[in-house]
Amino acid sequence: MLPVGGRYYHATRFLLKNRPVQTFLARETGSDVAALQCQYDVIVVGGGHAGTEAAAAAARTGAETLLVTHKIETIGQMSCNPSFGGIGKGHLVREVDALDGLCARTCDKSGIHFKVLNRSKGPAVWGLRAQVDRKLYKQHMQEEILNTPRLTVREAAVEDFLISEPEPEQAGKCQVTGIILADGSKVEARSVVLTTGTFLRGMVGIGLELHPAGRLGDQPTVGLAQTLERLGFTVGRLKTGTPPRIAKDSVSFALLQKQTADALPVPFSFLSNSVWIQPEDQLSCYLTFTTPAVEQIIRQNLHLNSHVKETTRGPRYCPSIESKVLRFPGRRHQVWLEPEGLDSDLMYPQGLSVTLPVPLQEELLRLIPGLEKARMVQP
C-alpha cells in the first residue's frame, strides 16, 4: 500500500550554525555504526530519483542530512525505462535543474540518444528527451551523492517513525522527530522526507502470481506502510507496469523503422555547454507496431492477468498493452525498441508494459514485426 502521492513530508524551519563540511558513508556493520551521529537536520528515506534530489537539495542549503537506503550500490538506479524527459517531463527536468538539481547534469554525462521531440511545431511544445545508459547514470549519480558536503549515506531499512506526544489542544496532532531502523536504533531529525517510490508494501505481479517486492529482486518496506496507516493517512495502491527485456542480438532491426538521434544534441542542464557523447557515437532507437494477433492473444487471456482482473481502479503511470487494447480496440500500438546502454545486450520495448504469464509474454513478443525471433531475458 502506498500513501496517496507516494510521499509524506514534514517540513520545519531550521537554524544552522557553522559546521565542518564532510561527507560520510557507512553500512550497518561494526565500528561504522558507532561512528554515526544520531541527530540530523534532515533525514531522507529512499535513494531513488526523488531521494537523491531531496538529500542533495537539503545538504546544499547547509542542513546536516542523512540519506537512508536499503542498498548503497543501487543509489540512482533506473528501475524502469532508462530515459529522461519527453513531452512535459522534459520541462520538469529543466525545472529541477533550475533549482540546482542533479538529474539534468547527470543525464548530460550519461545520455546515449538525445532528441528534441515536436521539432516541427512551435518551441512551446518542444520536448527534450534522452535515452540514458543505466550503468553510467548510476555511476555519476553515486559520485554526486557520495561527495556532497554535509550529506551522510547510511545503508539500512527504516521500519518506523519517532513521533512526539500529541498536542493537548489538538487531539491527534503530533510531529515526526526521527526514524527507527530495522535493528531498533533511533535517529532523530528536525525533518523527515519519505521518497520510498514503489517500496511501501510493494507487490510484483506476473500473470496471476503476486509476491512482495519493492522492485524485482528487492524486498518491500512493510513497517513504514503500517505506521502511515496507524497515523491515519489514507492509503491506496498505485499501479504501473514494465515491459519484458529483449536480447539485442535476437531483434531483426532491418524490419524496423530506425530513428537516429539529433546531429546536434541539446543538453538538459543550463550548466552544460554540451553533452558527453559525440553526435556520431549516439545509438539509434527503432519503431515497430503491435498486430491484430497481439490483440487477440491479450483478449483470450485476460482471465490470466490479475492486473486487469483485480486492479481496475486507481491512478497509473505507464498504461499496459492490455489496457490499451481494451480502451482502443482494433488499433495498432507503437512499440519503441530502445537501447539500455552503450555496452548493454538488452533492448527495452517501450509501450509494451505487460503482466501476462511468462510463456504468453514470449508468444506475444514474437507476433510483433521485427521480434519474430526475439529472446526474452527478463519478464
Side-chain angles (χ1 to χ4, degrees):
M1 301 296 285
L2 293 173
V4 174
R7 305 184 186 105
Y8 164 64
Y9 290 86
H10 170 76
T12 61
R13 187 183 301 274
F14 43 76
L15 178 64
L16 299 172
K17 300 179 180 178
N18 293 329
R19 294 173 178 163
V21 174
Q22 62 177 349
T23 302
F24 195 88
L25 167 65
R27 290 178 169 86
E28 286 199 317
T29 55
S31 60
D32 285 340
V33 176
L36 285 169
Q37 65 189 71
C38 294
Q39 188 166 10
Y40 294 85
D41 297 310
V42 178
I43 294 175
V44 177
V45 182
H49 293 309
T52 51
E53 296 290 358
R60 285 197 303 271
T61 67
E64 290 295 336
T65 305
L66 174 66
L67 171 61
V68 185
T69 181
H70 280 180
K71 297 178 182 177
I72 291 173
E73 58 265 29
T74 61
I75 289 175
Q77 181 164 309
M78 306 184 79
S79 300
C80 193
N81 187 6
S83 69
F84 264 84
I87 306 301
K89 289 175 290 182
H91 291 69
L92 180 61
V93 174
R94 285 194 152 178
E95 288 175 1
V96 172
D97 183 62
L99 297 170
D100 201 22
L102 305 177
C103 62
R105 300 199 302 270
T106 308
C107 277
D108 293 342
K109 297 176 183 178
S110 55
I112 55 177
H113 176 109
F114 290 85
K115 191 85 174 177
V116 177
L117 308 179
N118 278 354
R119 275 280 199 186
S120 61
K121 301 179 181 179
V125 294
W126 289 354
L128 180 57
R129 185 182 187 278
Q131 197 68 25
V132 174
D133 186 302
R134 286 185 186 276
K135 186 169 64 176
L136 286 177
Y137 186 89
K138 183 166 69 171
Q139 172 189 324
H140 290 302
M141 182 58 75
Q142 289 184 11
E143 288 173 358
E144 286 272 3
I145 291 297
L146 299 180
N147 290 283
T148 298
R150 298 190 178 88
L151 176 57
T152 299
V153 180
R154 185 168 181 178
E155 188 175 85
V158 178
E159 286 297 316
D160 207 343
F161 291 133
L162 294 173
I163 305 290
S164 67
E165 291 295 325
E167 296 182 9
E169 300 81 9
Q170 294 179 284
K173 184 179 180 181
C174 53
Q175 180 176 339
V176 176
T177 60
I179 57 174
I180 302 175
L181 303 179
D183 66 355
S185 60
K186 300 176 181 179
V187 187
E188 297 180 353
R190 302 184 184 186
S191 300
V192 176
V193 183
L194 284 189
T195 63
T196 49
T198 59
F199 277 71
L200 277 183
R201 205 182 293 163
M203 301 287 291
V204 168
I206 301 176
L208 295 177
E209 297 179 5
L210 293 172
H211 61 272
R215 59 178 165 232
L216 197 62
D218 288 309
Q219 292 299 312
T221 298
V222 178
L224 277 181
Q226 295 172 341
T227 297
L228 292 169
E229 286 181 314
R230 188 176 71 248
L231 291 173
F233 283 87
T234 301
V235 296
R237 189 170 293 283
L238 305 180
K239 300 176 291 180
T240 189
T242 60
R245 307 310 197 269
I246 303 170
K248 183 186 294 186
D249 60 8
S250 68
V251 176
S252 302
F253 290 103
L255 303 178
L256 308 178
Q257 297 179 30
K258 183 178 182 179
Q259 184 187 68
T260 57
D262 287 346
L264 295 174
V266 178
F268 266 109
S269 177
F270 296 104
L271 301 177
S272 301
N273 294 322
S274 62
V275 300
W276 77 286
I277 194 169
Q278 294 299 313
E280 63 273 14
D281 294 333
Q282 296 182 95
L283 303 185
S284 296
C285 296
Y286 297 85
L287 176 64
T288 186
F289 295 88
T290 60
T291 62
V294 170
E295 179 167 343
Q296 182 180 10
I297 197 172
I298 289 172
R299 289 187 175 278
Q300 289 175 346
N301 293 282
L302 290 176
H303 63 289
L304 299 176
N305 187 321
S306 62
H307 164 69
V308 172
K309 187 177 179 181
E310 298 176 7
T311 351
T312 56
R313 294 185 300 173
R316 61 173 295 112
Y317 178 63
C318 299
S320 65
I321 189 63
E322 299 99 320
S323 301
K324 288 189 279 190
V325 162
L326 292 174
R327 187 174 180 184
F328 304 106
R331 297 188 188 181
R332 66 175 190 167
H333 301 280
Q334 290 184 343
V335 179
W336 286 98
L337 295 179
E338 302 167 341
E340 295 216 345
L342 287 176
D343 58 359
S344 173
D345 297 324
L346 298 179
M347 298 296 289
Y348 183 100
Q350 169 69 21
L352 202 64
S353 293
V354 61
T355 52
L356 289 170
V358 170
L360 291 173
Q361 291 190 33
E362 293 176 324
E363 185 178 347
L364 181 150
L365 280 174
R366 292 170 185 153
L367 296 173
I368 297 174
L371 303 182
E372 293 87 352
K373 300 178 181 179
R375 188 170 71 256
M376 187 173 74
V377 178
Q378 176 185 307

